[in-house]
Amino acid sequence: MLFVLLLLSISTSIAMSIKTMFTSYRIKGKRLSLENFLVLAMLYVTVTLGFALLYLLFEMNGYPVVKDGVLTSGDGFLMKLESSFYFSAMTIFSVGYGDIYPLGIGRMLAVFEALIGYTIPAAFVARVIID
């Protein structure tokens, strides 16, 4: 039950963060501003951390989603969190060094995260130009 509750709350947080790209508000001044940059940066941080927590949640509940050559099954929570965050960041920014790769349901999560990573800049540019 806790697994489902955490899964829903993390997914809702990611969705609400992405929703900010599609809500309209007026930004005074330049199109390229510190405020626009901070909004984009916070969106990336929120989505990256959200997916990292999803990967970690599945890992902690016995569903292997990422394979890391460094980690073993006995490694602690912080090591798993670090690997999950690293994999999430490499996926959303489409770097993919290959040292960590997705397994099982993690493949679908990684595809969805990569899709979001590709569409955020396009949505941001469109939003700045339209507003």
Side-chain angles (χ1 to χ4, degrees):
M1 181 65 180
L2 180 63
F3 173 75
V4 173
L5 183 64
L6 287 172
L7 185 65
L8 287 175
S9 64
I10 293 169
S11 300
T12 302
S13 298
I14 292 171
M16 295 304 290
S17 179
I18 293 170
K19 183 182 172 227
T20 63
M21 290 302 297
F22 301 102
T23 55
S24 178
Y25 68 90
R26 292 283 175 201
I27 299 174
K28 297 176 183 173
K30 303 176 194 173
R31 291 182 186 196
L32 292 175
S33 66
L34 180 61
E35 182 182 358
N36 283 341
F37 175 75
L38 291 176
V39 167
L40 184 62
M42 289 308 298
L43 178 62
Y44 269 116
V45 167
T46 304
V47 173
T48 302
L49 188 58
F51 273 96
L53 291 174
L54 284 177
Y55 296 132
L56 182 66
L57 182 64
F58 279 104
E59 283 285 336
M60 298 303 278
N61 282 292
Y63 302 103
V65 291
V66 292
K67 174 70 174 153
D68 185 352
V70 178
L71 290 180
T72 62
S73 61
D75 283 336
F77 175 79
L78 289 178
M79 288 292 289
K80 289 182 181 182
L81 177 63
E82 177 187 356
S83 288
S84 296
F85 185 77
Y86 172 77
F87 177 73
S88 181
M90 293 303 104
T91 301
I92 200 162
F93 292 118
S94 302
V95 175
Y97 291 125
D99 53 344
I100 299 178
Y101 55 91
L103 301 169
I105 190 76
R107 291 180 177 182
M108 292 311 296
L109 286 173
V111 166
F112 190 63
E113 183 179 10
L115 177 66
I116 291 170
Y118 277 123
T119 57
I120 286 175
F124 184 75
V125 169
R127 179 176 164 210
V128 167
I129 290 173
I130 290 171
D131 283 348

Coordinates of all heavy atoms in Angstrom, one line a residue, residues 9-48:
S9 N 2.2 9.6 -5.5 CA 2.6 11.0 -5.1 C 3.8 11.5 -5.9 O 3.8 12.6 -6.3 CB 2.9 11.0 -3.6 OG 4.0 10.2 -3.3
I10 N 4.8 10.6 -6.2 CA 5.9 11.0 -7.1 C 5.5 11.3 -8.5 O 5.9 12.3 -9.1 CB 7.0 9.9 -7.0 CG1 7.6 9.8 -5.6 CG2 8.1 10.2 -8.0 CD1 8.5 8.6 -5.4
S11 N 4.6 10.4 -9.0 CA 4.1 10.7 -10.4 C 3.3 11.9 -10.5 O 3.4 12.7 -11.5 CB 3.2 9.5 -10.8 OG 4.0 8.3 -10.8
T12 N 2.5 12.2 -9.5 CA 1.7 13.5 -9.5 C 2.7 14.7 -9.4 O 2.4 15.7 -10.1 CB 0.8 13.5 -8.3 OG1 -0.1 12.4 -8.4 CG2 -0.1 14.8 -8.3
S13 N 3.7 14.6 -8.6 CA 4.7 15.7 -8.5 C 5.4 16.0 -9.9 O 5.5 17.1 -10.2 CB 5.7 15.4 -7.5 OG 5.1 15.3 -6.2
I14 N 5.7 14.9 -10.6 CA 6.4 15.1 -11.9 C 5.4 15.7 -12.8 O 5.7 16.6 -13.6 CB 6.9 13.7 -12.4 CG1 8.0 13.2 -11.6 CG2 7.3 13.8 -13.9 CD1 8.5 11.8 -11.9
A15 N 4.2 15.2 -12.8 CA 3.1 15.8 -13.8 C 2.9 17.2 -13.5 O 2.7 18.0 -14.4 CB 1.9 14.9 -13.6
M16 N 2.8 17.6 -12.2 CA 2.5 19.0 -11.9 C 3.7 19.9 -12.2 O 3.5 21.0 -12.6 CB 2.2 19.1 -10.4 CG 0.9 18.4 -9.9 SD -0.5 19.0 -10.8 CE -0.7 20.6 -10.2
S17 N 4.9 19.4 -12.1 CA 6.0 20.1 -12.5 C 6.0 20.4 -14.0 O 6.3 21.5 -14.5 CB 7.3 19.4 -12.1 OG 8.4 20.1 -12.5
I18 N 5.7 19.3 -14.8 CA 5.7 19.5 -16.3 C 4.5 20.4 -16.7 O 4.7 21.1 -17.6 CB 5.6 18.1 -16.9 CG1 6.8 17.3 -16.7 CG2 5.3 18.2 -18.4 CD1 6.8 15.8 -17.1
K19 N 3.5 20.4 -15.9 CA 2.3 21.2 -16.2 C 2.7 22.7 -16.2 O 2.1 23.5 -16.9 CB 1.2 21.0 -15.2 CG -0.1 21.7 -15.5 CD -1.1 21.4 -14.4 CE -2.3 22.4 -14.6 NZ -2.7 23.0 -13.3
T20 N 3.7 23.1 -15.4 CA 4.1 24.5 -15.4 C 4.5 25.0 -16.8 O 4.5 26.2 -17.0 CB 5.2 24.7 -14.4 OG1 6.4 24.0 -14.8 CG2 4.8 24.3 -13.0
M21 N 5.0 24.1 -17.6 CA 5.4 24.5 -18.9 C 4.2 24.9 -19.8 O 4.4 25.6 -20.8 CB 6.2 23.4 -19.7 CG 7.5 23.1 -19.1 SD 8.6 24.6 -19.1 CE 8.8 24.9 -20.8
F22 N 3.0 24.5 -19.5 CA 1.9 24.7 -20.3 C 0.9 25.7 -19.7 O -0.1 26.0 -20.3 CB 1.2 23.4 -20.6 CG 2.1 22.4 -21.3 CD1 2.7 21.4 -20.6 CD2 2.4 22.6 -22.7 CE1 3.6 20.5 -21.3 CE2 3.3 21.7 -23.3 CZ 3.8 20.7 -22.6
T23 N 1.2 26.2 -18.5 CA 0.3 27.2 -17.9 C 0.9 28.6 -18.3 O 2.1 28.8 -18.4 CB 0.3 27.1 -16.4 OG1 1.7 27.2 -15.9 CG2 -0.3 25.9 -15.9
S24 N 0.0 29.5 -18.6 CA 0.3 30.8 -19.2 C 0.5 31.8 -18.0 O -0.4 31.9 -17.2 CB -0.7 31.2 -20.2 OG -0.4 32.5 -20.6
Y25 N 1.5 32.5 -18.0 CA 1.7 33.7 -17.2 C 2.6 34.7 -17.9 O 3.4 34.3 -18.7 CB 2.2 33.3 -15.8 CG 3.6 32.8 -15.8 CD1 4.7 33.7 -15.6 CD2 3.9 31.5 -15.9 CE1 6.0 33.2 -15.6 CE2 5.2 31.0 -15.9 CZ 6.2 31.9 -15.7 OH 7.5 31.5 -15.7
R26 N 2.4 35.9 -17.6 CA 3.1 37.0 -18.2 C 4.4 37.2 -17.5 O 4.5 37.3 -16.3 CB 2.3 38.3 -18.2 CG 1.1 38.2 -19.1 CD 1.5 38.4 -20.5 NE 0.4 38.2 -21.4 CZ 0.5 37.9 -22.6 NH1 1.6 37.7 -23.2 NH2 -0.6 37.7 -23.3
I27 N 5.5 37.2 -18.3 CA 6.8 37.6 -17.7 C 7.2 38.9 -18.2 O 7.2 39.2 -19.4 CB 7.9 36.5 -18.2 CG1 7.5 35.1 -17.6 CG2 9.2 37.0 -17.7 CD1 8.4 34.1 -18.2
K28 N 7.4 39.8 -17.3 CA 7.8 41.2 -17.7 C 9.2 41.2 -18.1 O 10.1 40.5 -17.6 CB 7.6 42.1 -16.5 CG 6.1 42.2 -16.1 CD 6.0 43.1 -14.9 CE 4.6 43.1 -14.4 NZ 4.4 43.8 -13.1
G29 N 9.5 42.1 -19.1 CA 10.9 42.3 -19.5 C 11.3 41.4 -20.7 O 10.5 41.0 -21.5
K30 N 12.6 40.9 -20.6 CA 13.2 40.2 -21.7 C 12.7 38.8 -21.8 O 12.2 38.2 -20.8 CB 14.7 40.1 -21.5 CG 15.4 41.5 -21.4 CD 16.8 41.2 -21.0 CE 17.5 42.5 -20.6 NZ 18.8 42.3 -20.1
R31 N 12.8 38.2 -23.0 CA 12.4 36.8 -23.2 C 13.4 35.9 -22.6 O 13.1 34.9 -22.0 CB 12.2 36.5 -24.6 CG 11.0 37.2 -25.2 CD 10.8 36.9 -26.6 NE 9.7 37.7 -27.1 CZ 9.1 37.4 -28.2 NH1 9.4 36.4 -29.0 NH2 8.1 38.2 -28.6
L32 N 14.7 36.3 -22.7 CA 15.8 35.6 -22.0 C 16.1 36.3 -20.7 O 16.7 37.3 -20.7 CB 17.0 35.5 -22.9 CG 16.9 34.7 -24.2 CD1 18.1 34.8 -25.0 CD2 16.6 33.2 -23.8
S33 N 15.6 35.7 -19.6 CA 15.8 36.4 -18.3 C 16.3 35.3 -17.3 O 16.2 34.1 -17.5 CB 14.5 37.0 -17.9 OG 13.5 36.0 -17.6
L34 N 16.7 35.8 -16.2 CA 17.1 34.9 -15.1 C 15.9 34.1 -14.6 O 16.0 33.0 -14.3 CB 17.7 35.7 -14.0 CG 18.2 34.9 -12.8 CD1 19.3 33.9 -13.2 CD2 18.7 35.9 -11.7
E35 N 14.8 34.8 -14.6 CA 13.6 34.1 -14.1 C 13.2 32.9 -15.1 O 12.9 31.8 -14.6 CB 12.4 35.1 -14.1 CG 11.1 34.4 -13.6 CD 9.9 35.4 -13.6 OE1 10.1 36.6 -13.9 OE2 8.8 34.9 -13.2
N36 N 13.3 33.1 -16.4 CA 13.0 32.0 -17.3 C 14.1 30.9 -17.1 O 13.7 29.7 -17.2 CB 13.1 32.5 -18.8 CG 11.9 33.3 -19.1 OD1 10.8 33.1 -18.5 ND2 12.0 34.1 -20.2
F37 N 15.3 31.3 -17.0 CA 16.3 30.3 -16.7 C 16.1 29.5 -15.5 O 16.2 28.2 -15.5 CB 17.7 30.9 -16.7 CG 18.8 29.9 -16.4 CD1 19.3 29.1 -17.3 CD2 19.4 29.9 -15.1 CE1 20.3 28.1 -17.0 CE2 20.4 29.0 -14.8 CZ 20.8 28.1 -15.7
L38 N 15.7 30.1 -14.4 CA 15.5 29.4 -13.1 C 14.2 28.5 -13.2 O 14.3 27.4 -12.6 CB 15.3 30.4 -12.0 CG 16.6 31.2 -11.6 CD1 16.3 32.2 -10.5 CD2 17.6 30.2 -11.1
V39 N 13.2 29.0 -13.9 CA 12.0 28.1 -14.1 C 12.5 26.8 -14.9 O 12.1 25.7 -14.5 CB 10.9 28.9 -14.9 CG1 9.9 27.9 -15.4 CG2 10.3 29.9 -14.0
L40 N 13.2 27.0 -15.9 CA 13.7 25.8 -16.7 C 14.6 24.9 -15.8 O 14.4 23.7 -15.9 CB 14.4 26.3 -18.0 CG 14.9 25.2 -18.9 CD1 13.7 24.4 -19.5 CD2 15.7 25.7 -20.0
A41 N 15.5 25.5 -15.1 CA 16.4 24.7 -14.3 C 15.6 23.9 -13.2 O 15.9 22.8 -12.9 CB 17.4 25.6 -13.6
M42 N 14.7 24.6 -12.6 CA 13.9 23.9 -11.5 C 13.0 22.8 -12.1 O 12.8 21.8 -11.5 CB 13.0 24.9 -10.8 CG 13.8 25.9 -9.9 SD 14.9 25.0 -8.7 CE 13.8 24.0 -7.8
L43 N 12.5 23.0 -13.3 CA 11.8 22.0 -14.0 C 12.6 20.7 -14.2 O 12.2 19.6 -13.9 CB 11.2 22.5 -15.3 CG 10.4 21.5 -16.1 CD1 9.2 21.0 -15.4 CD2 10.0 22.1 -17.5
Y44 N 13.8 21.0 -14.7 CA 14.8 19.8 -14.9 C 15.1 19.1 -13.6 O 15.1 17.9 -13.5 CB 16.0 20.3 -15.6 CG 16.0 20.2 -17.1 CD1 16.0 21.3 -17.9 CD2 15.8 19.0 -17.8 CE1 16.0 21.3 -19.3 CE2 15.8 18.9 -19.1 CZ 15.9 20.1 -19.9 OH 15.8 20.0 -21.3
V45 N 15.4 19.9 -12.6 CA 15.7 19.3 -11.3 C 14.6 18.5 -10.7 O 14.7 17.4 -10.3 CB 16.2 20.4 -10.3 CG1 16.2 19.9 -8.9 CG2 17.5 21.0 -10.7
T46 N 13.4 19.1 -10.8 CA 12.2 18.4 -10.3 C 11.9 17.1 -11.0 O 11.7 16.0 -10.4 CB 10.9 19.3 -10.4 OG1 11.2 20.5 -9.7 CG2 9.7 18.6 -9.8
V47 N 12.0 17.1 -12.3 CA 11.7 15.9 -13.1 C 12.8 14.9 -12.9 O 12.5 13.7 -12.7 CB 11.5 16.2 -14.6 CG1 11.4 15.0 -15.5 CG2 10.3 17.1 -14.8
T48 N 14.1 15.3 -12.9 CA 15.2 14.4 -12.7 C 15.1 13.7 -11.3 O 15.2 12.5 -11.2 CB 16.5 15.1 -12.8 OG1 16.6 15.7 -14.1 CG2 17.7 14.2 -12.6

